[in-house]
């Protein structure tokens, strides 16, 4: 069907995820929004996205577990960018050791995110 | 005895009963008033608190969640997952497998990739020895988990083992089958960090009833009002006790008990007083009384804090048999604790603790069921002697009933105005209906259980723990 | 008529006590009816309110995002944006709408930086939301003042500095806290100047918050903390100790060494901890000579320091403490001994009954 690249975005701040969705859609991506880790895993399994954006701290299943699930259970190599709040350096390190490709510390600039997304998807 | 002496004795008894009833009502009015004051201030104070910085800070003090587990195989995996999902950064989870006879440990090892580790324990509180040892996960996602396998020694003993294992400054002692919301730890730690003029030694949380609530993967998804009378009636009981009673006592700084299902302690002080008492079934109340006593004796300004937010959800008994055995145990716990610490009762040296909290607990918790039964017996005798002015009795009975109803409704109000958890249409009506019936339906069972607790305490010393058969929090999953 | 008359007659002949009880029952009954009615109304109101909240939140979320993407240049407001601003000005006359809009905006502003954040700040000015916040900090009720400061902090209104600085001495704790957060969020290390003459105690909670905020910024150029280390306010000293550690303030070492003699135990312990973090050796002799007069926590902290800095010269001191009754001190001593003199450690003779030492040695050997 469409050859748009698919992105799953997992973020519990609904306003932020709407903002990013609009922005990334404008850049020509197909966005799937999850409000928590559990929904994210379901969307990932269903749509096999080309990129995953995930917050680390989320209800139900944390971003770390999403990464772990994607890498170990689903054995997908899809690039993953994680969002973290200030002071979660430890979590970021763990995210990398679990197989995340990049991270953005909150607060971040949506423009910068777009640049990183493009780089990983080119 | 001539008839005038009998009459005099009867008159004195009547007056005592009257004073008792009047003081009960007065104290309830007083407590409701205080609690309303405290609730509104609490809500205001916390309306714009930003917890983010505390959450993510590595300078935030460390907390250990200690959860004893005995034959919890059915739900242990889900329960641990819920404990691991707290949003606080600097914490760990210590599951103490208290000599379970089921496959809890094997399940945990498999689900969380556990391996046995070399762990040096500082035995500051004596406990039963370890069985298979201490386990940690090889998966970094579960890095916060520590599982200890020890020989069976009861809940207090398991908690003590957790106190020895913990390396943290604070410990949160919880029932493993409790469901904690993700922001529980930062809310419970707040009073310890916030107050500068007094030493906070412990903070207690509210217990909410999770029956019929939708729970997935150890997370609370949807709050529902259960359908059974016995469950709704307990919800009302809990609202009264937590939102009216404890809220007021915390304001007075006279809180004598924080629930064993969820409480946080300054670990140093908990260990200094010797940890949990393994010889009582009221270990959760006992440790608070002991810690308070220590502070009073050392003349340190202290506080036992209380967090009214609905953070901890647990399954309540849904049949009378289990409810009775649970309340029987609570009664024995109260009796034991008051007896162990009878020295503080009416002792001005212990100030508020000795002169208000203890006496209140003694008269209105410890003695209440006994006095009630005496009253009923006396009434029966009067009926037998055909000595009852039914119209007078009706008046007294009606006013007592209406008072009960009113306090329950006030409790519902304080819930609506603060947390408003039961949002669905029609639940208000159900709650009211149960409010009207509860004094006739649930209360007799509670009274029976309390009396049975007294009898068991005095005449049946070998009584064992009431077993709580769990239907499982994650029943929506299966 | 007859009936009610007989009821009245019956009532009049009752003893006073029973009369009173009947009256109380009637009053209670009316009260309960009133409460039930009120409960019904309250529940309906709350339900409606919640629905509205969700509805408006959705609307504002979408509108705000559309607004943010409607401009081409951050510094200029497009026509489309101006239309939305005008519309918003009218809508926020309603307190409920204003609250919802502010909550949506703050959800974004906390997680977003760069152009979009600037654009949100601009929106906050242009719509006049700022005036509502400025009005709030003049209110009488403390909770309104506090939430006003909170808004001014989130949308980075630097021009409120003078007004808020005055609130740093407000009698209500929450107002003071918010004022501190404002100063540090917007003026970073310079905002900390309020510590110079702080009379109230700074709670641990606040200290952590301030520290975290400071760490968010790129500018990590810290002002000199020596004066705060010498403060008469214990909480300021504690906070300065935290700053010393986080920002590696070696320069303030002299002030730190003085603090080892501070009358407050917690400060002494914290100071040893910071010195230990700096691998300081200068304090060793003093702490050794004072060891037996210090508290348990200080002793433990000092041994932690020796774990970092211990050398052959400490051997005698360590040997004195490997049989210390305190488990932590014993553990640390044995660990240090293994570091500085492994032969001696391996040849230690431990009596059969000394289970603690045996367990520790076994543990050290296995790790």
């Amino acid at each position: 069907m469409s050859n748009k690249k698919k992105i799953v975005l997992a973020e519990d701040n609904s306003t932020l995820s709407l903002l990013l969705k609009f922005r990334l859609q404008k850049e020509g991506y197909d966005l799937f929004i999850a409000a928590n880790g559990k929904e994210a895993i379901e969307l990932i399994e269903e749509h096999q996205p080309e990129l995953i954006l995930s917050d680390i701290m989320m209800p139900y299943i944390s971003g770390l577990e999403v990464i772990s699930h994607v890498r170990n259970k689903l054995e997908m190599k899809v690039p993953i960018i994680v969002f973290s709040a200030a002071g979660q350096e430890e979590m970021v390190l763990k995210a990398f050791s679990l197989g995340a490709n990049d991270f953005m510390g909150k607060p971040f600039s949506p423009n910068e995110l777009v640049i990183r997304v493009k780089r990983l998807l080119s | 005895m001539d008839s005038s002496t009998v009459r005099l004795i009867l008159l004195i008894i009547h007056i005592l009963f009257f004073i008792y009833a009047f003081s009960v009502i007065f104290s309830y009015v007083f407590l409701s008033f205080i609690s309303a004051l405290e609730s509104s201030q609490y809500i205001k104070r916390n309306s714009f608190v930003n917890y983010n910085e505390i959450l993510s800070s590595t300078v935030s003090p460390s907390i250990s969640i200690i959860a004893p587990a005995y034959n919890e195989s059915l739900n242990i995996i889900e329960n641990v997952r819920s404990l691991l999902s707290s949003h606080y950064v600097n914490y760990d989870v210590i599951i103490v497998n208290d000599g379970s006879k089921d496959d809890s440990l094997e399940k945990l090892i498999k689900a969380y990739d556990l391996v046995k580790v070399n762990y040096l324990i500082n035995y500051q509180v004596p406990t039963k020895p370890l069985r298979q040892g201490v386990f940690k996960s090889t998966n970094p996602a579960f890095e916060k988990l520590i599982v200890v396998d020890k020989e069976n020694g009861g809940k207090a003993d398991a908690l003590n083992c957790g106190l020895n294992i913990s390396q943290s400054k604070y410990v949160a002692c919880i029932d493993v089958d409790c469901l904690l919301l993700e922001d529980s730890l930062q809310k419970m730690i707040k009073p310890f960090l916030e107050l500068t003029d007094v030493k906070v030694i412990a903070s207690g949380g509210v217990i909410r009833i999770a029956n019929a609530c939708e729970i997935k993967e150890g997370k609370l998804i949807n709050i529902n009002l259960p359908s059974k009378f016995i469950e709704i009636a307990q919800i009302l009981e809990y609202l009264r006790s937590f939102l009216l009673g404890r809220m007021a006592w915390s304001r007075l700084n006279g809180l004598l008990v924080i629930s064993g299902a969820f409480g946080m302690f300054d670990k140093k002080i908990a260990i200094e007083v010797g940890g949990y008492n393994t010889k009582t079934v009221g270990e959760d109340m006992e440790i608070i009384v002991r810690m308070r006593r220590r502070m009073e004796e050392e003349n340190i300004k202290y506080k036992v804090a209380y967090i009214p937010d609905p953070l901890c959800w647990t399954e309540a008994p849904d049949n009378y048999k289990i409810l009775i055995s649970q309340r029987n145990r609570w009664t024995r716990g109260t009796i034991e604790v008051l007896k162990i610490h009878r020295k503080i009762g009416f002792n001005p040296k212990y100030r508020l603790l000795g002169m208000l909290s203890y006496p209140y607990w003694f008269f209105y918790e410890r003695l209440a069921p006994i006095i009630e039964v005496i009253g009923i017996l006396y009434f029966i005798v009067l009926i037998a002697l055909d000595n009852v002015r039914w119209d007078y009795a009706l008046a007294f009975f009606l006013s007592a009933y209406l008072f009960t109803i009113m306090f329950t409704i006030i409790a519902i109000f304080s819930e609506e105005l603060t947390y408003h958890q039961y949002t669905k249409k029609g639940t208000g009506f159900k709650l009211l209906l149960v409010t009207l019936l509860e004094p006739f339906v649930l209360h007799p069972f509670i009274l029976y259980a309390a009396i049975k607790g007294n009898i068991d305490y005095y005449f049946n010393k070998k009584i064992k723990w009431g077993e709580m058969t769990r239907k499982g929090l994650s029943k929506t999953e299966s | 008529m007859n009936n009610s008359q007989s009821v009245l007659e019956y009532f009049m002949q009752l003893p006073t006590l029973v009369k009173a009880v009947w009256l109380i029952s009637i009053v209670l009954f009316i009260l309960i009816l009133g409460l039930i009615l009120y409960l019904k109304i309250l529940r309906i109101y709350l339900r409606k309110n919640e629905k509205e909240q969700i509805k408006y939140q959705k609307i504002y979320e979408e509108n705000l995002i559309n607004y943010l993407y409607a401009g081409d240049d951050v510094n200029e407001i497009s026509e489309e944006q101006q239309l939305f601003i005008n519309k918003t000005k009218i809508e926020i006359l309603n307190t409920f709408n204003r609250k919802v809009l502010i909550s949506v905006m703050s959800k974004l502003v906390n997680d977003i930086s760069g152009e979009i954040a600037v654009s949100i700040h601009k929106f906050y000015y242009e719509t006049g939301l700022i005036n509502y916040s400025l009005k709030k900090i003049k209110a009488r009720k403390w909770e309104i003042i506090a939430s006003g400061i909170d808004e001014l902090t989130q949308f980075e209104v630097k021009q409120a500095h003078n007004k808020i600085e005055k609130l740093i001495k407000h009698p209500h704790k929450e107002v003071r806290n918010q004022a501190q957060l404002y100063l540090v969020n917007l003026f970073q290390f310079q905002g900390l100047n309020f510590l110079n003459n702080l009379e109230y105690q700074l709670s641990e909670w606040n200290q952590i918050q301030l520290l975290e905020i400071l760490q968010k910024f790129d500018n990590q150029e810290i002002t000199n903390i020596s004066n705060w280390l010498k403060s008469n306010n214990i909480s300021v000293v504690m906070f300065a100790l935290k700053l010393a550690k986080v920002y590696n303030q070696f320069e303030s070492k002299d002030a730190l060494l003085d603090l080892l003699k501070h009358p407050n135990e917690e400060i002494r312990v914290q100071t040893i901890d910071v010195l230990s973090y700096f691998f300081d050796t200068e304090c060793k002799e003093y702490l050794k000579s004072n060891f037996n007069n210090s508290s348990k926590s200080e002793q433990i902290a000092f041994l932690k320091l020796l774990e970092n800095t211990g050398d052959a010269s400490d051997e005698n001191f360590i040997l004195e403490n490997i049989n210390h009754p305190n488990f932590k001190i014993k553990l640390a001593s044995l660990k240090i001994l293994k570091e500085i003199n492994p032969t001696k450690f391996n040849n230690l003779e431990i009596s059969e009954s000394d289970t603690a030492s045996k367990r520790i040695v076994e543990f050290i050997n296995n790790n």
Side-chain angles (χ1 to χ4, degrees):
Chain A
M1 296 181 296
S2 93
N3 51 6
K4 278 184 180 172
K5 290 196 168 155
K6 285 183 276 191
I7 300 178
V8 167
L9 167 62
E11 166 63 62
D12 60 340
N13 177 345
S14 60
T15 320
L16 176 64
S17 78
L18 197 65
L19 182 95
L20 297 179
K21 183 183 165 186
F22 278 28
R23 183 67 215 263
L24 289 164
Q25 278 174 341
K26 238 171 47 184
E27 300 290 333
Y29 300 110
D30 205 359
L31 263 285
F32 300 94
I33 306 293
N36 58 55
K38 193 164 165 53
E39 282 177 32
I41 287 177
E42 284 163 9
L43 287 175
I44 292 166
E45 288 177 358
E46 190 186 333
H47 298 287
Q48 302 286 323
E50 272 88 13
L51 178 76
I52 297 168
L53 304 171
S54 173
D55 193 11
I56 289 189
M57 212 85 104
M58 274 185 304
Y60 308 132
I61 289 182
S62 81
L64 293 181
E65 286 180 71
V66 172
I67 305 173
S68 167
H69 188 84
V70 169
R71 291 286 185 257
N72 301 328
K73 297 263 157 64
L74 305 178
E75 294 185 351
M76 288 164 71
K77 293 217 164 68
V78 45
I80 302 174
I81 304 179
V82 290
F83 308 150
S84 73
Q88 295 173 356
E89 286 79 14
E90 227 183 300
M91 298 261 210
V92 173
L93 289 179
K94 251 186 269 169
F96 277 120
S97 73
L98 283 167
N101 300 69
D102 200 354
F103 95 99
M104 306 225 26
K106 282 182 182 174
F108 58 78
S109 146
N111 290 339
E112 199 184 325
L113 179 71
V114 170
I115 293 169
R116 297 201 192 193
V117 167
K118 280 187 179 159
R119 200 176 52 202
L120 278 172
L121 285 178
S122 64
Chain B
M1 273 193 295
D2 58 20
S3 67
S4 69
T5 341
V6 173
R7 213 167 292 155
L8 187 69
I9 291 172
L10 282 179
L11 183 69
I12 292 172
I13 292 177
H14 290 174
I15 290 174
L16 284 179
F17 263 111
F18 188 77
I19 291 175
Y20 186 80
F22 183 77
S23 64
V24 169
I25 288 171
F26 175 78
S27 70
Y28 275 39
V29 172
F30 180 68
L31 289 176
S32 311
F33 182 73
I34 305 259
S35 122
L37 206 73
E38 178 66 9
S39 302
S40 79
Q41 285 193 3
Y42 179 86
I43 296 279
K44 264 194 224 162
R45 269 203 311 270
N46 288 282
S47 56
F48 45 80
V49 176
N50 188 347
Y51 288 91
N52 287 339
E53 285 102 12
I54 300 299
L55 271 181
S56 53
S57 174
T58 44
V59 198
S60 295
S62 49
I63 305 173
S64 291
I65 295 180
I66 304 178
Y70 178 67
N71 291 348
E72 298 275 357
S73 166
L74 185 58
N75 297 307
I76 190 94
I77 303 300
E78 290 297 304
N79 294 336
V80 169
R81 167 169 296 276
S82 148
L83 296 180
L84 284 173
S85 57
S86 173
H87 281 175
Y88 197 78
V89 168
N90 200 0
Y91 86 108
D92 55 20
V93 177
I94 302 173
I95 305 293
V96 186
N97 187 27
D98 190 31
S100 294
K101 296 188 188 92
D102 59 9
D103 59 345
S104 303
L105 185 66
E106 290 71 37
K107 275 191 167 175
L108 283 169
I109 290 177
K110 207 168 151 236
Y112 294 105
D113 313 320
L114 300 179
V115 288
K116 202 177 158 194
V117 293
N118 190 13
Y119 199 98
L120 187 64
I121 302 174
N122 180 4
Y123 289 103
Q124 300 176 82
V125 186
T127 62
K128 287 268 157 60
L130 297 187
R131 203 164 58 174
Q132 290 202 39
V134 181
F135 294 81
K136 292 193 86 172
S137 177
T138 51
N139 183 343
F142 308 124
E143 185 202 52
K144 293 187 188 312
L145 180 63
I146 300 176
V147 175
V148 195
D149 188 53
K150 69 180 269 289
E151 281 173 20
N152 184 272
K155 191 175 169 195
D157 193 67
L159 288 166
N160 285 338
C161 176
L163 284 175
N164 288 335
I165 295 270
S166 165
Q167 310 269 8
S168 306
K169 193 161 180 221
Y170 298 97
V171 288
C173 296
I174 74 151
D175 284 347
V176 75
D177 58 320
C178 275
L179 192 149
L180 288 192
L181 299 195
E182 288 124 333
D183 52 354
S184 311
L185 292 181
Q186 63 260 35
K187 288 202 167 149
M188 293 286 279
I189 194 85
K190 188 164 181 250
F192 291 93
L193 304 181
E194 194 183 34
L195 298 180
T196 49
D197 46 347
V198 292
K199 171 111 190 130
V200 176
I201 56 173
S203 68
V206 168
I207 312 302
R208 291 292 189 117
I209 292 178
N211 300 34
C213 292
E214 191 187 334
I215 290 159
K216 265 187 203 159
E217 308 261 339
K219 305 287 165 64
L220 187 66
I221 310 263
N222 212 335
I223 297 165
N224 297 317
L225 192 70
S227 52
K228 277 192 185 173
F229 181 87
I230 181 175
E231 294 167 318
I232 304 179
Q234 285 179 87
I235 287 179
L236 293 174
E237 249 194 313
Y238 278 43
L239 287 182
R240 270 198 312 248
S241 150
F242 284 106
L243 290 184
L244 291 188
R246 294 197 191 178
M247 196 75 202
W249 278 111
S250 90
R251 169 80 182 206
L252 299 169
N253 195 14
L255 211 54
L256 215 47
V257 55
I258 62 182
S259 172
F262 188 31
M264 195 179 274
F265 299 87
D266 185 312
K267 192 183 79 181
K268 198 169 158 228
I269 300 172
I271 285 178
E272 271 170 14
V273 300
Y276 282 91
N277 183 339
T278 51
K279 295 194 179 69
T280 171
V281 291
E283 78 286 331
D284 48 356
M285 178 178 181
E286 204 278 334
I287 193 170
I288 292 295
V289 178
R290 197 145 32 92
M291 284 169 84
R292 294 193 74 123
R293 202 174 148 177
R294 163 73 141 253
M295 292 291 125
E296 294 284 352
E297 282 162 1
E298 291 184 355
N299 250 317
I300 299 169
K301 268 180 100 183
Y302 70 99
K303 184 175 170 71
V304 175
Y306 173 73
I307 305 298
D309 298 338
L311 300 174
C312 175
W313 295 74
T314 192
E315 192 203 348
D318 67 347
N319 67 62
Y320 285 102
K321 196 171 160 251
I322 294 169
L323 179 71
I324 287 169
S325 88
Q326 181 197 44
R327 297 309 163 92
N328 178 332
R329 186 157 47 83
W330 289 6
T331 306
R332 279 180 286 130
T334 306
I335 301 174
E336 283 169 359
V337 175
L338 291 176
K339 198 175 160 207
I340 294 169
H341 295 285
R342 59 177 172 264
K343 193 185 154 202
I344 61 173
F346 309 99
N347 187 341
K349 209 184 108 197
Y350 293 95
R351 286 170 290 198
L352 188 93
L353 178 65
M355 300 306 285
L356 195 65
S357 296
Y358 189 102
Y360 180 88
W361 223 261
F362 184 77
F363 283 117
Y364 303 130
E365 298 283 336
R366 165 77 181 87
L367 288 185
I370 297 174
I371 288 174
E372 190 175 345
V373 167
I374 293 174
I376 293 171
L377 291 177
Y378 181 61
F379 192 62
I380 292 172
V381 171
L382 288 184
I383 296 175
L385 296 175
D386 199 15
N387 215 347
V388 181
R389 278 291 303 257
W390 285 103
D391 56 339
Y392 294 5
L394 181 70
F396 279 99
F397 180 79
L398 190 68
S399 68
Y401 173 69
L402 290 174
F403 256 114
T404 316
I405 304 290
M406 192 176 71
F407 286 117
T408 310
I409 295 181
I410 291 175
I412 298 176
F413 256 99
S414 67
E415 152 71 8
E416 294 292 340
L417 289 171
T418 52
Y419 300 108
H420 190 50
Q421 299 280 308
Y422 298 104
T423 49
K424 299 211 173 70
K425 239 181 167 161
T427 50
F429 178 71
K430 265 194 211 159
L431 283 172
L432 276 177
L433 197 69
V434 176
T435 303
L436 297 180
L437 295 176
E438 185 231 66
F440 305 110
V441 186
L442 185 77
H443 184 70
F445 287 97
I446 304 287
L447 182 63
Y448 169 75
I451 294 299
K452 195 151 180 298
N454 273 278
I455 293 172
D456 284 346
Y457 176 74
Y458 288 108
F459 305 110
N460 194 1
K461 290 275 179 192
K462 273 185 226 146
I463 199 86
K464 290 268 278 180
W465 276 55
E467 293 250 333
M468 169 110 179
T469 47
R470 303 212 173 264
K471 272 179 31 187
L473 276 175
S474 52
K475 52 192 163 198
T476 48
E477 273 294 278
S478 48
Chain C
M1 204 58 218
N2 215 350
N3 219 345
S4 65
Q5 214 158 29
S6 63
V7 167
L8 198 66
E9 260 168 43
Y10 164 79
F11 183 76
M12 293 317 283
Q13 54 84 37
L14 288 171
T16 326
L17 183 65
V18 183
K19 253 189 221 162
V21 171
W22 270 116
L23 282 177
I24 289 174
S25 297
I26 292 166
V27 171
L28 283 175
F29 185 73
I30 296 168
L31 252 168
I32 289 171
L33 279 186
L35 283 175
I36 291 177
L37 196 71
Y38 180 43
L39 190 65
K40 178 82 194 154
I41 297 168
L42 179 71
R43 282 186 62 88
I44 291 173
Y45 167 77
L46 286 174
R47 245 199 324 268
K48 203 181 113 211
N49 208 24
E50 206 164 310
K51 262 193 205 143
E52 295 269 289
Q53 180 108 22
I54 294 171
K55 190 177 124 197
Y56 279 97
Q57 187 171 327
K58 277 244 161 73
I59 296 175
Y60 282 131
E61 246 172 28
E62 220 170 299
N63 287 349
L64 180 68
I65 289 166
N66 280 328
Y67 167 88
L68 292 173
Y69 288 137
D72 311 311
D73 185 355
V74 216
N75 300 314
E76 264 168 59
I77 291 169
S78 70
E79 225 166 280
E80 199 183 329
Q81 283 181 320
Q82 190 59 48
L83 275 175
F84 183 62
I85 288 174
N86 294 343
K87 210 178 105 207
T88 307
K89 272 186 187 164
I90 296 162
E91 275 178 31
I92 57 172
L93 291 172
N94 177 316
T95 318
F96 177 80
N97 290 347
R98 201 162 64 230
K99 268 191 189 154
V100 177
L101 179 60
I102 286 272
S103 83
V104 168
M105 286 165 67
S106 58
K107 257 171 91 184
L108 257 194
V109 102
N110 285 333
D111 284 352
I112 285 291
S113 66
E115 289 180 2
I116 302 247
V118 175
S119 183
I120 296 172
H121 294 161
K122 194 153 200 165
F123 180 71
Y124 176 76
Y125 278 88
E126 295 295 329
T127 50
L129 279 168
I130 181 176
N131 298 326
Y132 292 98
S133 307
L134 288 171
K135 217 195 259 162
K136 272 183 168 180
I137 60 170
K138 287 192 203 124
R140 284 229 326 270
K141 287 189 181 160
W142 66 264
E143 67 269 24
I144 298 180
I145 305 179
S147 94
I149 304 177
D150 186 34
E151 287 167 19
L152 293 168
T153 310
Q154 292 199 46
F155 302 106
E156 300 183 11
V157 183
K158 287 197 174 174
Q159 69 200 61
H161 177 270
N162 292 342
K163 284 181 194 137
I164 291 178
E165 203 178 29
K166 283 185 200 125
L167 295 171
I168 211 88
K169 292 193 171 152
H170 193 276
H172 202 284
K173 191 168 87 183
E174 228 56 63
V175 174
R176 298 199 300 268
N177 289 356
Q178 292 300 326
Q180 292 163 8
L181 294 179
Y182 169 88
L183 290 174
V184 175
N185 257 308
L186 268 54
F187 302 94
Q188 300 152 37
F189 289 104
Q190 259 154 37
L192 283 179
N193 283 336
F194 73 88
L195 293 173
N196 295 341
N197 38 23
L198 186 71
E199 284 159 32
Y200 296 99
Q201 294 291 307
L202 196 62
S203 73
E204 177 93 22
W205 181 270
N206 260 45
Q207 295 181 27
I208 296 172
Q209 281 188 313
L210 295 178
L211 217 52
E212 282 303 306
I213 294 166
L214 288 172
Q215 282 174 277
K216 276 196 312 208
F217 298 108
D218 299 331
N219 169 21
Q220 295 295 329
E221 202 81 7
I222 185 171
T223 38
N224 188 352
I225 61 163
S226 292
N227 278 334
W228 297 330
L229 286 171
K230 290 175 193 145
S231 171
N232 291 325
N233 185 328
I234 288 175
S235 65
V236 171
V237 181
M238 288 299 280
F239 182 59
L241 283 168
K242 290 194 180 85
L243 286 172
K245 192 171 170 180
V246 174
Y247 293 97
N248 295 317
Q249 294 295 295
F250 301 105
E251 309 88 85
S252 49
K253 212 171 89 184
D254 290 337
L256 284 174
L257 290 173
D258 286 341
L259 284 180
L260 291 173
K261 293 169 188 153
H262 197 279
N264 182 297
E265 187 205 337
E266 221 180 319
I267 287 184
R268 293 195 304 269
V269 173
Q270 216 52 49
T271 306
I272 301 174
D273 180 60
V274 175
L275 288 168
S276 153
Y277 181 75
F278 290 165
F279 285 74
D280 179 81
T281 48
E282 241 176 87
C283 61
K284 265 175 22 183
E285 285 316 310
Y286 169 74
L287 287 171
K288 266 191 222 170
S289 66
N290 201 34
F291 191 73
N292 292 326
N293 300 327
S294 12
S295 72
K296 191 118 308 142
S297 314
E298 284 170 85
Q299 294 180 339
I300 294 169
F302 177 49
L303 278 147
K304 286 248 166 68
L305 183 139
L306 286 184
E307 280 186 40
N308 287 344
T309 63
D311 55 37
S313 69
D314 300 313
E315 194 178 320
N316 284 333
F317 174 78
I318 288 300
L319 285 172
E320 279 167 32
N321 286 300
I322 54 172
N323 285 316
H324 199 282
N326 183 290
F327 187 85
K328 282 183 185 160
I329 296 179
K330 188 198 277 266
L331 169 63
S333 304
L334 285 165
K335 265 191 194 163
I336 297 162
L337 182 64
K338 192 186 175 188
E339 281 299 312
I340 58 182
N341 192 343
T343 354
K344 199 157 221 165
F345 177 80
N346 290 329
N347 295 324
L348 272 182
E349 277 176 31
I350 298 161
S351 72
E352 268 309 302
S353 58
D354 189 359
T355 47
S357 296
K358 266 181 14 203
R359 283 198 304 124
I360 292 176
V361 169
E362 196 187 305
F363 175 78
I364 296 177
N365 282 329
N366 286 335
N367 266 341

